[in-house]
Amino acid sequence: MSAPGSAVSGVPHLDVDPFDMTFFADPYPTHERLREAGPVVYLDKWKVYGVARYAEVHAVLNDPATFCSSRGVGLSDFKKETPWRPPSLILEADPPAHTRTRAVLSKVLSPTVMKQVRDRFAAAAEERVDALIDKRSFDAITDLAEAYPLSIFPDALGLKAEGREHLIPYASVVFNAFGPPNQLRQEAIERSMPHQAYVAEQCQRDNLAPGGFGACIHAQVDEGAITAAEAPLLVRSLLSAGLDTTVNGIGAAVYCLARFPDQWQRLRNDLSLGRGAFEEAVRFESPVQTFFRTTTREVELSGAHIGEGEKVLMFLAAANRDPRRWDSPDSYDITRRTSGHVGFGSGIHMCVGQLVARLEGEVMLTALARRIAKIEITGEPKRRFNNTLRGLDSLPVTITPA
Amino acid sequence: MPAITFIHPDGKSDRVETSGGESAMQAATRLGLDGILAECGGNAMCATCHVYVDESWVARLPAVADDEDALLDGTAAERLPNSRLSCQIHITPELDGLVLRLPERQV
Ligand code: HEM
Ligand code: FES
């Protein structure tokens, strides 16, 4: 027997910690090192395999029988450690259990449902632009990237007005908890009790307004699709993954458009590019940077031998800029053909809320471009540190109305 | 290799040589064809790879699966009896000559 990832199998070992502050401050040189070292690498710091090229990330995502999710999609192996919260019934599940819960959320967040909420989401985006034009100078993270999703998503879910301030902190715990037991994760979990209590309460049927996504999930109990005990946990998935992700997605798009004025001009000249501008920002910034899988058997991946029960870290962000797959990967191009990027994952776990995210991104960027001539960054952007999510804490800007 | 034809709303057409085992959507996006967006990359989740299958071919395609059926209700352009998702049409030798019409819009 050789040690995991030993030189015997030809897997290069890298002394890289993709969860520390210096990495988060500028991950790109390390992403390149990871990609160029080989198709599969081994990270000694956390004793995990890593894949950073597009082909291998895509392959791992699309072989859920070998690279499973039920042992956790973070570093912690649920077979060896007790999860910090009851596991997700969708994200941290494998077929056939996943197939059933996934069908429920797909129905609740389907293209047909998006047609119904579209006008409401678009009207809220216009209102947000009204408020920003009044201000002229503002923080594009709090006043735009957070304020807009907060103005629609909790209502769309059917949440009560009280307690919503727990939503972003709760999501931040969830995404920190996928990381290794570093300070970010430990502190997040230690402080999570009040947020967990709020979320558990709001997932109950009685606390969700009729007609919202939450109530629609509970209605599936009556259809026999899920049990009454499962419904609150599926609502929890939307509370965990549905808000902070789009905050970082919209934040990424605004940051890109403010940094690359030529792309902003292109968007202003053709408002139909709003949806593409958002999608390209999800590729370019990859708000969800990484996820893990666990091997269910020994497997050969691009020549590397991986044993059973090993964690494999997928660098979605590095795959989204792999020059083997993308032309000029480091340029933000709103007319790029982004189909196939892995910012929302790929395969059976590919983001079930992707249509919600795109709708929010599209209507918000289109409303901004229609009424604002110029966005200038007026202060040093500050980064927000999280083990999984990439985004800013603050982005001071001044706008010029059209 | 089987070839398929996409007809754009303005009547122009593109003949595409497919390569082994790909879907009609993959063939279209590989060639950078306008009119197929495929936002979910072929995972049957977005309904932005909508096509109308030429009447003479409808019966020759495998039946619509339940998830495809549900997604087709959400297409941006009107759903017609010959509507399909092109990422769910896998091109086999029997489909050589298939004709697909592109809708006015995908979102
Ligand atoms: C820009 C915004 C978003 C990004 C970048 C994003 C990213 C992702 C990624 C990468 C995955 C795959 C996880 C895996 O393979 O293990 C995923 C899954 C998921 N996302 Fe999103 N997401 C976003 C928005 C949303 C929204 C708005 C919702 C809910 C309304 C949502 C709910 C979920 C759920 C429930 C899953 C688990 C699906 C499954 O395991 O089958 N996400 N997301
Ligand atoms: S590419 Fe998304 S449904 Fe076909």
Side-chain angles (χ1 to χ4, degrees):
Chain A
M1 277 296 289
S2 50
S6 73
V8 180
S9 60
V11 174
H13 284 233
L14 268 74
D15 172 29
V16 160
D17 181 1
F19 298 100
D20 83 8
M21 299 296 174
T22 48
F23 170 80
F24 292 145
D26 182 13
Y28 300 108
T30 309
H31 282 161
E32 186 174 351
R33 249 186 88 199
L34 290 161
R35 272 192 311 258
E36 298 315 314
V40 179
V41 300
Y42 193 79
L43 305 179
D44 292 312
K45 168 89 184 169
W46 300 112
K47 300 191 171 53
V48 297
Y49 288 87
V51 286
R53 295 184 185 173
Y54 180 86
E56 281 72 25
V57 169
H58 191 266
V60 170
L61 285 167
N62 282 280
D63 183 2
T66 307
F67 301 98
C68 80
S69 292
S70 60
R71 286 170 74 168
V73 295
L75 177 69
S76 170
D77 183 351
F78 293 178
K79 206 169 165 179
K80 298 175 184 156
E81 284 176 69
T82 309
W84 71 278
R85 61 168 191 175
S88 162
L89 297 180
I90 176 164
L91 181 70
E92 294 154 334
D94 296 328
H98 171 264
T99 317
R100 196 168 50 85
T101 51
R102 170 89 194 189
V104 168
L105 289 193
S106 298
K107 193 181 268 181
V108 172
L109 304 171
S110 70
T112 312
V113 174
M114 293 309 112
K115 282 186 184 173
Q116 294 156 8
V117 298
R118 187 179 185 95
D119 289 348
R120 234 191 306 147
F121 279 35
E126 293 296 340
E127 281 170 31
R128 189 57 357 226
V129 177
D130 290 338
L132 297 177
I133 287 180
D134 283 346
K135 285 191 173 190
R136 296 292 169 98
S137 290
F138 55 88
D139 186 336
I141 301 305
T142 43
D143 298 330
L144 170 52
E146 289 185 357
Y148 174 60
L150 278 170
S151 74
I152 44 162
F153 189 70
D155 285 336
L157 220 83
L159 294 180
K160 294 195 163 149
E162 314 83 66
R164 291 180 178 186
E165 66 281 2
H166 286 287
L167 288 168
I168 289 181
Y170 178 73
S172 146
V173 179
V174 171
F175 284 98
N176 268 320
F178 295 125
N182 56 12
Q183 195 181 350
L184 275 174
R185 182 179 200 267
Q186 303 313 81
E187 286 188 0
I189 294 177
E190 275 161 29
R191 294 185 195 146
S192 69
M193 278 324 288
H195 312 314
Q196 288 202 63
Y198 161 79
V199 164
E201 190 57 29
Q202 303 319 305
C203 292
Q204 301 306 317
R205 193 165 195 167
D206 291 346
N207 288 326
L208 293 158
F213 300 150
C216 292
I217 293 175
H218 280 279
Q220 292 291 308
V221 175
D222 311 331
E223 305 290 315
I226 45 171
T227 67
E230 289 172 327
L233 273 178
L234 285 177
V235 177
R236 193 192 69 180
S237 287
L238 302 194
L239 288 172
S240 307
L243 189 66
D244 210 8
T245 48
T246 59
V247 167
N248 285 295
I250 293 168
V254 173
Y255 189 34
C256 285
L257 291 165
R259 264 179 302 168
F260 309 116
D262 57 322
Q263 298 300 308
W264 176 249
Q265 254 332 303
R266 282 173 101 179
L267 174 56
R268 293 210 63 228
N269 295 340
D270 179 358
L271 292 176
S272 74
L273 297 174
R275 199 164 166 103
F278 178 74
E279 198 71 22
E280 168 70 344
V282 175
R283 179 199 69 86
F284 187 79
E285 287 287 341
S286 299
V288 173
Q289 293 267 297
T290 47
F291 268 120
F292 289 84
R293 293 292 189 263
T294 314
T295 52
T296 56
R297 60 176 178 91
E298 277 184 40
V299 56
E300 187 93 7
L301 177 62
S302 302
H305 178 88
I306 306 179
E308 185 275 335
E310 298 287 345
K311 282 282 174 180
V312 179
L313 175 55
M314 303 176 290
F315 290 90
L316 306 177
N320 278 341
R321 292 189 183 207
D322 182 355
R324 293 163 189 78
R325 170 65 176 77
W326 307 98
D327 293 332
S328 317
D330 296 324
S331 65
Y332 173 74
D333 172 0
I334 66 172
T335 59
R336 182 190 295 276
R337 291 189 167 270
T338 50
S339 176
H341 79 78
V342 290
F344 289 109
S346 178
I348 64 167
H349 290 279
M350 189 186 185
C351 185
V352 75
Q354 57 186 280
L355 305 179
V356 178
R358 289 195 188 102
L359 177 58
E360 288 184 18
E362 176 197 339
V363 296
M364 191 67 245
L365 296 186
T366 311
L368 288 169
R370 188 182 300 121
R371 300 183 40 210
I372 294 170
K374 226 162 117 186
I375 307 180
E376 281 167 287
I377 301 178
T378 49
E380 193 58 39
K382 272 204 218 63
R383 197 149 283 290
R384 187 175 289 175
F385 295 101
N386 183 285
N387 279 331
T388 307
L389 296 175
R390 179 169 176 79
L392 295 177
D393 201 45
S394 99
L395 177 63
V397 297
T398 297
I399 54 168
T400 312
Chain B
M1 287 298 171
I4 59 178
T5 300
F6 290 92
I7 302 180
H8 296 270
D10 65 2
K12 289 205 192 88
S13 68
D14 278 303
R15 204 180 114 94
V16 178
E17 291 282 340
T18 65
S19 66
E22 68 184 352
S23 67
M25 177 284 278
Q26 283 168 322
T29 50
R30 189 166 43 77
L31 277 135
L33 216 80
D34 279 330
I36 296 280
L37 206 52
E39 286 178 336
C40 78
N43 283 291
M45 292 171 196
C46 70
T48 65
C49 62
H50 179 202
V51 291
Y52 300 116
V53 178
D54 187 80
E55 296 300 340
S56 63
W57 284 91
V58 173
R60 286 189 262 175
L61 293 183
V64 177
D66 286 351
D67 57 344
E68 181 180 352
D69 188 37
L71 279 171
L72 282 167
D73 284 337
T75 53
E78 190 189 357
R79 178 180 184 171
L80 299 175
N82 59 338
S83 283
R84 292 297 300 254
L85 296 179
S86 58
C87 71
Q88 302 304 304
I89 303 176
H90 295 278
I91 305 302
T92 53
E94 301 79 67
L95 294 184
D96 188 28
L98 174 67
V99 177
L100 302 172
R101 289 172 205 281
L102 295 163
E104 288 285 344
R105 44 198 288 254
Q106 294 287 7
V107 287

